[in-house]
Amino acid sequence: MNVFADLLPKSKPSDSQTGPRIQKNRRGIEIKSKREIEIMRQASAIVATVLKEILELAEPGMTTADLDRHAEKRIRELGAVPSFKGYHGFPASICASVNNEVVHGIPNSKKTLQSGDLVKVDTGAYFNGFHGDSCVTVRVGQVSPEADRLARVAEEALFAGIHQVKPGGTLLDIAGAIEDVVKANGYSVVEDFTGHGVGRNLHEEPAVFNFRTRELPNVRLRAGMTLAIEPILNAGSKKTKILSDKWTAVTVDRSWSAQWEHTVLVTEDGFEILTDRTKV
């Protein structure tokens, strides 16, 4: 999830919600301790487990609300609380963004998945005071070669960025690697939304951008940082707009979009993908 990190909270959790306290992060960039990193591994493993299940579960005829119910049920069964539900008033446990929907799609019992769809499923889990956050692009049924390529390149861009993560590296190293993959394949990088730090808060500093810019701080990476890296690609224009639900972002030209995200730890000698689905 990539709501702008400087948004002020619009609501507080209900008395029955045992999830994270909603707050604006004012702590700056946090370096996690060994104990905190271990908790984040557990939170992230829960997210990875749920998304791995959704990749296998999603099929034509299901609704995005079906996916949301499964995610919430499994997050809670695994001992965590959905990070997204209630966050700034968001009503669900996943963002489910279909085809030309870019991010923050609200699950809907009337939105039925069709063979050929690309659905971006983004979710987070809050466990013992820390969050894990990740997103996958689900290919529903048999997708077109064009849709498959868009999803594949988005994942390649994510890993190109991740492989730049190391102490002493910078956010521009990550951004440049992502942008190069995207542009080499003829796609555009969405600039309206970025990745972010993640940990005690769902959104922390710094903004982890996916394109070369001088408008955002080019932070130097240090061991113990935890980053949500999440390139978002459009097949057409990079421009987006927000629908009347005040959440769902769509492409202005109705071109399709793809997104992948991992929570990544900066280690002493490189990186560790905390939401690695191959390890759960």
Side-chain angles (χ1 to χ4, degrees):
M1 196 181 205
N2 36 46
V3 174
F4 297 120
D6 62 351
L7 283 175
L8 289 171
K10 299 175 183 176
S11 63
K12 296 180 180 179
S14 66
D15 292 340
S16 62
Q17 184 177 337
T18 57
R21 179 165 57 94
I22 298 174
Q23 60 183 19
K24 182 178 178 181
N25 178 44
R26 300 182 184 277
R27 301 173 65 94
I29 298 174
E30 292 192 8
I31 303 300
K32 277 68 176 184
S33 68
K34 289 183 179 179
R35 181 191 69 84
E36 292 168 340
I37 289 168
E38 184 52 40
I39 296 172
M40 285 199 66
R41 284 195 183 100
Q42 295 175 70
S44 297
I46 291 169
V47 174
T49 297
V50 172
L51 287 179
K52 184 176 182 178
E53 292 173 0
I54 284 178
L55 281 164
E56 297 169 352
L57 178 71
E59 63 182 9
M62 296 186 73
T63 69
T64 53
D66 292 331
L67 300 181
D68 182 62
R69 281 190 290 271
H70 177 83
E72 179 169 2
K73 176 175 178 288
R74 291 294 289 133
I75 288 170
R76 294 188 186 279
E77 285 177 350
L78 293 166
V81 172
S83 297
F84 295 3
K85 195 165 187 177
Y87 186 74
H88 296 302
F90 191 76
S93 297
I94 65 170
C95 298
S97 308
V98 182
N99 298 338
N100 71 307
E101 296 174 347
V102 178
V103 291
H104 304 157
I106 299 173
N108 190 319
S109 61
K110 295 182 179 179
K111 184 166 287 186
T112 302
L113 300 179
Q114 308 291 329
S115 184
D117 284 345
L118 290 183
V119 55
K120 285 74 70 180
V121 178
D122 191 353
T123 196
Y126 182 73
F127 178 80
N128 285 359
F130 288 85
H131 298 270
D133 186 9
S134 187
C135 178
V136 297
T137 293
V138 182
R139 299 163 172 88
V140 181
Q142 295 296 316
V143 302
S144 69
E146 293 80 11
D148 181 71
R149 181 173 180 268
L150 178 65
R152 175 175 52 79
V153 171
E155 189 170 21
E156 288 175 1
L158 168 63
F159 281 100
I162 289 173
H163 280 91
Q164 296 299 312
V165 174
K166 60 184 178 181
T170 69
L171 292 179
L172 267 175
D173 294 336
I174 298 171
I178 289 171
E179 185 177 45
D180 286 347
V181 170
V182 175
K183 290 191 171 180
N185 285 277
Y187 299 129
S188 61
V189 176
V190 172
E191 297 180 7
D192 292 336
F193 304 95
T194 71
H196 49 90
V198 60
R200 198 180 308 275
N201 297 276
L202 182 57
H203 294 95
E204 299 181 348
E205 296 179 18
V208 183
F209 41 96
N210 302 306
F211 53 96
R212 292 180 177 90
T213 179
R214 295 183 181 275
E215 300 301 315
L216 294 168
N218 183 26
V219 173
R220 192 165 296 281
L221 305 181
R222 296 169 55 195
M225 288 183 179
T226 44
L227 309 173
I229 302 174
E230 48 182 322
I232 310 169
L233 284 58
N234 290 348
S237 170
K238 68 182 180 181
K239 294 182 179 179
T240 69
K241 63 180 180 180
I242 307 296
L243 297 183
S244 59
D245 64 15
K246 298 183 180 180
W247 280 102
T248 308
V250 300
T251 56
V252 296
D253 61 1
R254 300 194 62 80
S255 63
W256 283 22
S257 187
Q259 177 192 7
W260 296 83
E261 174 187 17
H262 274 308
T263 295
V264 179
L265 167 69
V266 184
T267 65
E268 295 291 344
D269 57 0
F271 64 87
E272 178 184 346
I273 301 174
L274 300 182
T275 47
D276 188 347
R277 295 180 302 281
T278 69
K279 295 182 179 180
V280 295

